[in-house]
Amino acid sequence: MASKLVTLKSYKWPEEVGNKSFHKELESEVLRSEFTSSPPQNSESLGLPGTWDLGVSQPPNLEISDSFFGIQYSSKLSCVCISRLPWNPLPKFAEQKGVPGVRVQEPAPPRYSLYTRTWLGYLFYRQQLRRARNRYPKGHSRTQPRLFNGVKVLPIPVLSDNYSYLIIDTQARLAVAVDPSDPQAVQASIEKEGVTLVGILCTHKHWDHSGGNRDLSRRHQECRVYGSPEDGIPYLTHPLCHQDVVSVGRLQIRALATPGHTQGHLVYLLDGEPYKGPSCLFSGDLLFLSGCGRTFEGTAETMLSSLDTVLGLGDDTLLWPGHEYAEENLGFAGVVEPENLARERKMQWVQRQRMERKSTCPSTLGEERSYNPFLRTHCLVLQEALGPGLGPSEDDGYSRAQLLEKLRRLKDLHKSK
């Protein structure tokens, strides 16, 4: 019997995204990466690029092209088997109609919504994880830990360009993990260091930062998952607000609210005072070496305020970002500030590092102030370089926000070339 097709004209995602109900559904047969569940009666293979019949008994081909979330391509991501999706907006539709194989054809949502608000984002993350493990069995970059009077920061290269981190109290043998998107790689580091994982600090909900929360929190029974309650973080157990402090042994880690990339984005500041060393900022997707994250869930004013929060920290604060974007970002910085000598010196060092596949982390906030254009919106030379109408004004915040917005557009164009 052929499955019916219906058009869903108005699709509203439920409010439960991010809570235990959604987590349970992540574990359901629909989202199991092995796809070992029994097929529902009369279910058909959809046969469309980028979509799968969720009721097959054998693992389907999950090859996803680089344009998986392209707007044009995503128009094909329309059919799902609603009888297998318990959180679908029409959960009883199939049952009421008596057709187990009913499918819903809905208008294609924007690609970002696909990634963050549907199970397709989870599948895409799983695909990224498999590809990265095959391509970089020892990680995409060679990293070096930093040790400060009994506190150790260990960068862990994951996926194709992400970084997770272990922050270790070497005396207490306790550790917290920052954005452990590959639980296998993070667990290997935990075992190698011989420490107990007691916490996960999640900067935001995106799967390439939160994808390992489930496996690690299950494996380590006393492990707490920290993050913003506004961000729908998977397996969140201990919500944090701005200025909340997480204490682990001698570690004092402060959460700072930095919305813009996502609504609930947090960065984590390890206080250097207890161990008489530099403070460390784990910036997620807010701030990179010579760059900043895209503003997906906010305005330029929101992102500017978040960057200013970071600007208020000390120059010797070490920056540990969520991605290895240094060479690309410094290339863009050279376009907007070609005569910046600090940028030129940093670029030469970064290129030497990358030729040997060495990590470029960390930098310092003092360095970033000298060459990162997204932290230099107050600089007259940058305002003059990017055209009229963006110079100093009585409303300095507004003009800097305009400049930040223009920088972000130019950066996106630079990356697409």
Side-chain angles (χ1 to χ4, degrees):
M1 181 175 66
S3 300
K4 289 186 178 182
L5 284 175
V6 294
T7 299
L8 180 62
K9 294 183 179 179
S10 60
Y11 179 81
K12 295 187 71 174
W13 193 256
E15 295 296 326
E16 300 94 287
V17 170
N19 70 9
K20 292 182 180 179
S21 172
F22 181 63
H23 302 157
K24 182 177 180 180
E25 288 151 6
L26 283 181
E27 300 166 26
S28 70
E29 291 176 330
V30 175
L31 288 175
R32 289 181 190 227
S33 59
E34 295 84 1
F35 284 82
T36 55
S37 57
S38 301
Q41 185 179 4
N42 298 323
S43 179
E44 293 183 331
S45 178
L46 303 179
L48 292 175
T51 60
W52 311 276
D53 182 359
L54 302 183
V56 297
S57 57
Q58 298 297 323
N61 180 4
L62 294 181
E63 288 298 317
I64 304 172
S65 72
D66 290 338
S67 61
F68 177 63
F69 289 110
I71 294 175
Q72 183 176 10
Y73 192 77
S74 67
S75 65
K76 299 176 181 178
L77 304 176
S78 56
C79 293
V80 295
C81 178
I82 79 166
S83 64
R84 306 288 287 179
L85 292 175
W87 64 87
N88 193 277
L90 300 177
K92 297 183 179 180
F93 185 89
E95 181 181 345
Q96 291 172 347
K97 297 295 181 181
V99 183
V102 167
R103 291 174 288 166
V104 173
Q105 184 167 354
E106 59 184 277
R111 54 185 177 179
Y112 178 71
S113 294
L114 280 174
Y115 179 70
T116 59
R117 303 180 71 185
T118 76
W119 53 270
L120 292 174
Y122 178 79
L123 294 181
F124 183 58
Y125 152 74
R126 296 293 303 179
Q127 177 75 2
Q128 287 181 304
L129 193 57
R130 283 190 292 270
R131 286 181 171 178
R133 285 173 176 174
N134 290 334
R135 184 176 181 183
Y136 305 114
K138 295 183 179 181
H140 58 75
S141 300
R142 294 161 54 194
T143 62
Q144 288 291 329
R146 290 289 184 95
L147 188 62
F148 315 100
N149 300 320
V151 172
K152 189 175 187 178
V153 176
L154 177 64
I156 305 170
V158 293
L159 299 177
S160 60
D161 55 33
N162 283 71
Y163 286 112
S164 299
Y165 298 94
L166 279 185
I167 313 173
I168 303 170
D169 181 329
T170 58
Q171 294 180 358
R173 312 305 299 167
L174 300 176
V176 293
V178 181
D179 289 351
S181 57
D182 185 344
Q184 179 177 297
V186 174
Q187 179 60 31
S189 294
I190 292 170
E191 294 174 2
K192 183 178 180 179
E193 296 294 323
V195 295
T196 300
L197 183 69
V198 294
I200 292 172
L201 303 175
C202 201
T203 61
H204 62 293
K205 65 189 173 188
H206 293 164
W207 290 111
D208 63 324
H209 293 257
S210 65
N213 291 1
R214 181 192 67 175
D215 289 356
L216 287 171
S217 61
R218 284 182 170 179
R219 188 180 187 112
H220 302 271
Q221 294 298 316
E222 301 302 316
C223 180
R224 298 176 173 183
V225 180
Y226 297 94
S228 170
E230 298 181 27
D231 223 39
I233 290 173
Y235 293 86
L236 179 69
T237 62
H238 287 69
L240 295 175
C241 297
H242 184 58
Q243 298 289 356
D244 282 352
V245 174
V246 176
S247 298
V248 176
R250 289 195 303 159
L251 307 178
Q252 298 288 314
I253 305 170
R254 186 176 300 275
L256 301 176
T258 52
H261 184 68
T262 64
Q263 181 178 353
H265 193 286
L266 295 176
V267 298
Y268 296 99
L269 181 66
L270 172 64
D271 185 3
E273 179 60 30
Y275 57 89
K276 305 304 180 184
S279 295
C280 293
L281 179 68
F282 299 89
S283 59
D285 279 0
L286 170 71
L287 187 67
F288 311 121
L289 194 154
S290 194
C292 79
R294 296 189 181 189
T295 307
F296 287 121
E297 300 179 13
T299 64
E301 288 81 4
T302 302
M303 181 62 84
L304 180 63
S305 176
S306 295
L307 293 172
D308 282 347
T309 296
V310 169
L311 274 174
L313 304 177
D315 281 353
D316 63 345
T317 303
L318 297 181
L319 175 67
W320 300 93
H323 291 268
E324 179 59 69
Y325 290 161
E327 190 168 9
E328 176 190 314
N329 287 345
L330 285 165
F332 170 71
V335 172
V336 295
E337 273 195 286
E339 298 181 5
N340 188 317
L341 296 181
R343 183 213 68 87
E344 181 60 31
R345 288 192 296 269
K346 190 67 173 183
M347 178 60 123
Q348 292 174 4
W349 177 83
V350 164
Q351 288 175 333
R352 290 194 299 270
Q353 291 288 102
R354 297 312 294 161
M355 283 182 66
E356 301 178 21
R357 284 185 60 188
K358 292 182 179 179
S359 171
T360 61
C361 303
S363 64
T364 68
L365 289 185
E367 287 183 283
E368 294 301 313
R369 286 185 176 92
S370 70
Y371 54 65
N372 188 331
F374 297 96
L375 296 181
R376 293 170 56 80
T377 53
H378 59 283
C379 295
L380 183 60
V381 62
L382 201 58
Q383 294 171 351
E384 291 175 343
L386 292 183
L390 292 174
S393 70
E394 292 183 3
D395 189 353
D396 181 62
Y398 181 66
S399 65
R400 289 180 60 217
Q402 285 182 303
L403 180 56
L404 182 66
E405 189 171 22
K406 186 167 185 178
L407 276 170
R408 184 69 255 177
R409 287 199 304 267
L410 291 173
K411 176 62 170 62
D412 293 342
L413 290 172
H414 177 80
K415 184 177 180 178
S416 66
K417 291 181 179 179

